[in-house]
Structure formats: structure tokens, C-alpha cells
Amino acid sequence: MNLYHCMIELKSEARALAFAAAVDGWMAYLKSAGLVLDWRLMRRKLGLASGRHTDFLLEIALPDMAALDAAFTLLANADEQATRRYDQMHQMIAEVQVGLYRPYPDPAQRERIALI
């Protein structure tokens, strides 16, 4: 399993509940397509954060790297419904930073694997 983290700041005119509904629509679409295992949207509590911590954190659980690639492919070749759902969410975002994580330590110990 891999965890795709998205640290998100909304545009000043965006409404938090509308954003949450749009994320739900997009993530439900990806989950129904079998591309994500689960997801959760969290919001910073009481404005408490340091450094680069943003207002929202979206955590997406993916079964493997192939699912992440398939999700990006789906977006690149999206039909009208997928494009609409994605755009509803994305138009509210001012800034996003992403990271891909995995449980650690893992059995493969990928730090030791290199092509060169």
C-alpha cells in the first residue's frame, strides 16, 4: 500500500464545505473505478500548525504504484463526467504540495534497490 499525501491551501474565495463535497465527488469516482483503496480529508484544527503545514490534508491510500499511474492516466484521458468532478475540486485550490509514502520498514527495503 502507498499513501499519497496532498497538502492543500484553498483560494481565498473558496468555501471549505464546498471543497469537501467536491473532494468527495472526485475521490468517490476514483474509488468506484478501483484506483484508490480509501481516502480521508482532514482540516487543520484551531489553526494550529508550524512551517509549511497547510489548512487541508488529503490522504489517499493506493494499492500499488500501478494504481497511481492508472489514476493519472484516467485524468489524462478523462471523460466529461470525470473532468467535471476533477475541475469542481481543483478550481478551489490555490496551492498543493504532494508526497508519496509507504509503510516503513517494508519487506522490499527499496532503498537498496537501484538501477545504477
Side-chain angles (χ1 to χ4, degrees):
M1 178 180 63
N2 296 282
L3 295 174
Y4 191 68
H5 279 206
C6 306
M7 294 175 33
I8 301 165
E9 283 292 340
L10 298 183
K11 293 178 180 175
S12 59
E13 68 274 8
R15 301 282 186 235
L17 289 176
F19 175 68
V23 169
D24 183 64
W26 176 241
M27 289 293 115
Y29 180 80
L30 293 177
K31 191 171 181 176
S32 71
L35 299 175
V36 300
L37 296 174
D38 205 3
W39 63 275
R40 66 182 178 169
L41 180 65
M42 294 168 281
R43 189 170 191 189
R44 185 175 56 210
K45 187 170 184 170
L46 303 173
L48 182 60
S50 63
R52 299 281 301 157
H53 288 89
T54 57
D55 197 17
F56 286 93
L57 176 63
L58 174 61
E59 182 180 84
I60 305 166
L62 303 151
D64 52 33
M65 292 298 292
L68 181 61
D69 186 54
F72 288 135
T73 300
L74 177 96
L75 184 56
N77 301 308
D79 61 18
E80 186 177 323
Q81 179 187 18
T83 300
R84 187 179 75 253
R85 287 176 188 242
Y86 178 81
D87 287 345
Q88 283 176 331
M89 175 193 66
H90 197 263
Q91 71 184 357
M92 292 185 243
I93 297 173
E95 182 182 339
V96 65
Q97 296 178 28
V98 298
L100 184 63
Y101 295 85
R102 70 184 193 286
Y104 187 82
D106 65 345
Q109 292 294 310
R110 287 180 172 75
E111 280 82 5
R112 294 188 223 159
I113 299 171
L115 295 176
I116 300 174

